[in-house]
Amino acid sequence: MTTTSAFSALTPYGWDEAWADQFTPYVSEGLLPGRVLRVDRGQCDVVTTDGVVRADTAFVTPNDPLRVLCTGDWAVVEPAGNPRYVRTYLPRRTAFVRSTSSKRSEGQILAANVDHAIVAVSLAVEVDLGRIERFLALAWESGAQPVVALTKADLVPEAATLAHLVQDVETTAPGVPVLPVSAVDGAGLDVLAAVVSGGTSVLLGQSGAGKSTLANALLGEDVMDVQATRDVDGKGRHTTTTRNLLRMPGGGVLIDTPGLRGVGLWDAETGVGQVFSEIEELAERCRFHDCAHEAEPGCAVLAAIDSGELPVRRLESYRKLLRENQRIVAKTDARVRAEIRKDWKRKGAEGRAAMEAKRGRWQ
């Protein structure tokens, strides 16, 4: 019996031949593979061929916060014991990571081995395009395919208004499906379920974005607790306090996450480039390969701004996220820190030279 067929009960959770090949070295030791359903207080729930087991994570608690066990990992679990232990986990295909809010600038892994990142955005309040861009940058960087779910679409009864909102977000999210959905009347849920079926999806968004309600709709039952949002700002309390992996009736699994107040970037330069792909494509046509798109002659990006092809807000957001990402990387990469300092000195020298030139013209 092959490893794949021996553990076929795990197929609904994403087990496949590639995972089986990676697990092969552990078969002779009698260890079991399992998908991590949730992690809390040094222990985790893991679904195995023995069912859902509780296991201790003491063997996989390294100093590096990006290497701790997380929801979505494929764990290597002892077949018995009190307590059972997770020995290790299989190499991740994708990992959704954000910067923590701590001053130590550490990364925090939210979910592993994700195929789709569903960014829930409430239409009950004004849509924050900048925040959407942040989520998308992290989603693209993770290796997952982002999907934007505009929740509470029933609160926008005018079709023209809804279409305008969708178009605004589509402009912000090139290459990303943007789907208006409503858990109240079911609008759009079948389309979203079809898009994310068959794989692993993680549900992301702020508190009050309707994530738990959307999760219940996708799961076909009231699994997640739901609380009302505040009328004053559309925010809600954290009804989800841990990351939970659950099977969807149409196939695939869903990881629900707590509402994220902060969406800090973590070494997401590639993801930022993907979100602003139209700017990076324009930049290839600039006269200078190191064009900063500020005042250089022959800048295709500034030309697109002047013609109205590119909104000013997009360029400002692009610059802001790149600067933030640089700062995060610089805190952990001495080479990048040195390059940034060199760039600062160059710009400072250029600024002083420009001021001297102006003074010369005034005299």
Side-chain angles (χ1 to χ4, degrees):
M1 183 178 293
T2 67
T3 306
T4 304
S5 59
F7 302 117
S8 58
L10 297 176
T11 301
Y13 292 91
W15 185 258
D16 57 28
E17 291 201 10
W19 289 122
D21 288 343
Q22 290 190 345
F23 185 75
T24 299
Y26 303 102
V27 174
S28 60
E29 298 181 47
L31 299 171
L32 297 176
R35 193 88 192 258
V36 178
L37 304 179
R38 60 178 287 169
V39 180
D40 62 281
R41 299 178 183 177
Q43 294 191 313
C44 62
D45 293 333
V46 186
V47 59
T48 70
T49 50
D50 290 345
V52 177
V53 302
R54 189 74 169 164
D56 195 295
T57 65
F59 286 122
V60 281
T61 310
N63 293 328
D64 185 350
L66 298 183
R67 296 176 61 195
V68 299
L69 195 72
C70 76
T71 303
D73 273 324
W74 281 101
V76 179
V77 188
E78 293 178 347
N82 187 19
R84 289 195 189 204
Y85 285 96
V86 173
R87 292 279 189 89
T88 186
Y89 58 83
L90 301 182
R92 294 162 176 157
R93 294 178 182 174
T94 63
F96 192 96
V97 181
R98 69 161 179 173
S99 176
T100 65
S101 57
S102 72
K103 294 182 180 179
R104 292 177 296 178
S105 300
E106 294 178 340
Q108 178 190 23
I109 183 164
L110 299 180
N113 303 314
V114 172
D115 301 298
H116 292 95
I118 307 172
V119 180
V121 179
S122 173
L123 292 179
V125 294
E126 183 177 354
V127 174
D128 186 339
L129 298 178
R131 182 169 288 271
I132 293 174
E133 288 163 346
R134 284 175 169 275
F135 273 112
L136 294 179
L138 292 175
W140 281 121
E141 191 69 31
S142 76
Q145 165 66 50
V147 180
V148 177
L150 300 178
T151 65
K152 308 181 184 182
D154 54 285
L155 299 180
V156 187
E158 299 83 6
T161 302
L162 182 59
H164 179 71
L165 289 168
V166 171
Q167 186 177 30
D168 273 355
V169 177
E170 286 177 337
T171 302
T172 301
V176 177
V178 179
L179 307 173
V181 298
S182 170
V184 173
D185 58 24
L189 290 176
D190 55 341
V191 178
L192 177 60
V195 169
V196 302
S197 65
T200 298
S201 301
V202 61
L203 189 52
L204 306 156
Q206 285 183 285
S207 299
K211 293 190 296 83
S212 293
T213 302
L214 181 58
N216 286 337
L218 291 172
L219 295 167
E221 56 183 318
D222 292 339
V223 175
M224 311 307 298
D225 291 333
V226 177
Q227 293 181 357
T229 57
R230 299 192 300 247
D231 292 335
V232 65
D233 57 9
K235 295 181 180 178
R237 294 185 292 274
H238 293 298
T239 54
T240 304
T241 56
T242 58
R243 291 175 281 280
N244 304 280
L245 185 148
L246 301 157
R247 284 180 61 181
M248 291 188 287
V253 295
L254 179 70
I255 300 174
D256 193 19
T257 63
L260 301 176
R261 291 191 178 91
V263 195
L265 299 186
W266 178 259
D267 198 2
E269 182 177 355
T270 301
V272 172
Q274 189 78 33
V275 174
F276 298 92
S277 57
E278 81 276 31
I279 296 179
E280 302 231 323
E281 288 171 7
L282 286 167
E284 292 178 0
R285 304 205 296 267
C286 290
R287 182 182 300 178
F288 305 108
H289 74 277
D290 59 348
C291 183
H293 322 308
E294 292 176 351
E296 297 86 347
C299 176
V301 174
L302 295 180
I305 292 286
D306 293 339
S307 68
E309 176 188 352
L310 179 68
V312 174
R313 190 205 68 80
R314 284 283 284 172
L315 180 57
E316 290 176 345
S317 184
Y318 175 63
R319 288 169 172 164
K320 179 180 179 180
L321 292 186
L322 281 182
R323 286 195 301 268
E324 178 183 327
N325 192 70
Q326 262 194 334
R327 287 196 300 270
I328 288 294
V329 174
K331 289 180 179 179
T332 56
D333 191 319
R335 179 185 57 81
V336 174
R337 284 199 300 272
E339 289 177 356
I340 291 174
R341 283 196 296 270
K342 183 179 178 180
D343 189 52
W344 285 344
K345 290 180 180 179
R346 177 183 63 80
K347 288 185 176 180
E350 290 174 352
R352 288 191 294 274
M355 287 302 296
E356 290 296 330
K358 285 183 180 180
R359 290 194 188 101
R361 288 196 298 268
W362 292 339
Q363 292 174 354

